[in-house]
């Protein structure tokens, strides 16, 4: 079965500092990994995905994520955080052996302090 | 444009009343469609998904049902709402490629009193 863990409920960083939001996953087949952001009372917005190839994936709004197969991780990063990055972040996985379902992590609330 | 429309955006209903939330998708044909529920601003629970007209898969036994009467229309319904049905309901679509991401609508917030 597929599963996704986001070990931190909350991450606080100061504006201008680098940020990392952690994600680990478990799948039986090839993992397809995704990051989404959600602002209050809005739908989820797609940030980036890893399918294959380069382990460092670049996405929207200056975010990037690093796929690490040995650690089964897909951490979201940004070199310099903005106050406007404060939101709820979700990691998701789709198992290559089970096509239709996306499994989401519980979410991590990011607060960027001015 | 691959827009997802959800309505109503907000809804307050008494316990025991019926429910109908509608989702329509533009700009794509034969999408996979999904209904998720989000409680208390946190995790997403997959309720239903559909790979085509009239084809519905239910992930969680509950007080809700879904229908797909047209290719780009996905409806979430209940005959009698419970307090526990309150939440933020999100419709999403993906393409048929397994590498494709999900795209979400703006959600419908349901409060059952």
């Amino acid at each position: 079965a597929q599963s996704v863990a986001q070990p931190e409920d909350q991450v606080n960083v100061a504006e201008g500092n680098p940020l990392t939001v952690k994600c680990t996953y478990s799948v039986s087949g090839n993992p397809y990994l995704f990051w989404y952001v959600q602002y209050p009372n809005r739908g989820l917005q797609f940030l980036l995905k890893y399918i294959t190839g380069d382990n460092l994936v670049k996405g929207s709004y200056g975010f990037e994520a690093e796929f690490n197969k040995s650690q089964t991780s897909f951490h979201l990063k940004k070199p310099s955080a903005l106050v406007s990055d404060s939101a709820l972040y979700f990691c998701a996985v789709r198992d290559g052996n089970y096509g239709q379902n996306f499994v989401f992590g519980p979410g991590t609330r990011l607060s960027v302090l001015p | 444009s691959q827009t997802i429309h959800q309505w109503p955006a907000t809804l307050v209903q008494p316990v025991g009343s019926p429910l109908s939330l509608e989702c329509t998708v533009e700009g794509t044909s034969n999408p996979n469609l999904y209904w998720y529920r989000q409680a208390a601003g946190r995790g997403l629970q997959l309720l239903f998904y559909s790979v085509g007209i009239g084809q519905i898969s239910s992930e969680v036994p509950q007080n809700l049902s879904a229908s797909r009467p047209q290719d780009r229309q996905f409806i979430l319904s209940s005959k009698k709402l419970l307090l526990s049905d309150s939440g933020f309901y999100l419709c999403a679509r993906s393409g048929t490629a397994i590498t494709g991401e999900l795209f979400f609508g703006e959600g419908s917030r349901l409060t059952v009193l």
Side-chain angles (χ1 to χ4, degrees):
Chain A
Q2 312 159 70
S3 66
V4 177
Q6 293 181 242
E8 300 155 316
D9 281 348
Q10 174 94 31
V11 171
N12 298 321
V13 298
E15 187 175 28
N17 283 2
L19 70 86
T20 298
V21 182
K22 295 179 181 177
C23 171
T24 58
Y25 66 90
S26 174
V27 297
S28 59
N30 291 325
Y32 302 124
L33 296 154
F34 308 83
W35 274 103
Y36 289 84
V37 61
Q38 185 182 33
Y39 296 97
N41 296 310
R42 304 293 301 275
L44 278 68
Q45 296 178 33
F46 169 71
L47 283 177
L48 50 80
K49 67 180 178 182
Y50 171 82
I51 302 301
T52 187
D54 193 348
N55 289 344
L56 185 63
V57 178
K58 294 187 182 297
S60 306
Y61 312 119
F63 284 94
E64 58 190 27
E66 187 167 10
F67 172 65
N68 187 317
K69 187 174 182 178
S70 63
Q71 297 184 6
T72 61
S73 67
F74 189 55
H75 301 332
L76 182 70
K77 300 181 180 183
K78 187 173 182 181
S80 179
L82 301 173
V83 172
S84 57
D85 292 329
S86 299
L88 188 56
Y89 289 80
F90 290 97
C91 181
V93 66
R94 199 177 195 186
D95 189 327
N97 286 349
Y98 299 94
Q100 303 310 326
N101 287 353
F102 292 76
V103 174
F104 283 82
T108 298
R109 191 165 301 281
L110 173 68
S111 292
V112 181
L113 308 174
Chain B
S1 171
Q2 298 181 8
T3 304
I4 302 173
H5 298 283
Q6 286 190 244
W7 68 90
T10 58
L11 192 60
V12 180
Q13 292 285 97
V15 169
S17 63
L19 172 73
S20 180
L21 299 180
E22 192 161 341
C23 170
T24 59
V25 178
E26 294 181 357
T28 183
S29 59
N30 197 30
N32 294 335
L33 297 175
Y34 304 77
W35 277 113
Y36 285 89
R37 177 168 59 199
Q38 185 179 29
R42 293 312 292 244
L44 297 172
Q45 178 186 32
L46 177 63
L47 302 175
F48 302 95
Y49 70 89
S50 171
V51 300
I53 295 173
Q55 300 179 64
I56 309 295
S57 295
S58 174
E59 290 297 304
V60 182
Q62 58 215 330
N63 187 41
L64 303 170
S65 62
S67 62
R68 186 169 176 177
Q70 301 179 43
D71 183 47
R72 299 177 189 179
Q73 186 183 31
F74 203 25
I75 297 171
L76 184 69
S77 303
S78 174
K79 292 182 179 178
K80 288 186 177 182
L81 284 168
L82 307 172
L83 287 174
S84 58
D85 291 325
S86 294
F88 193 47
Y89 289 82
L90 291 159
C91 179
R93 69 149 189 91
S94 71
T96 53
I98 193 162
T99 56
E101 59 268 29
L102 276 176
F103 292 97
F104 285 84
E106 287 300 307
S108 294
R109 183 165 299 284
L110 170 66
T111 302
V112 182
L113 301 175

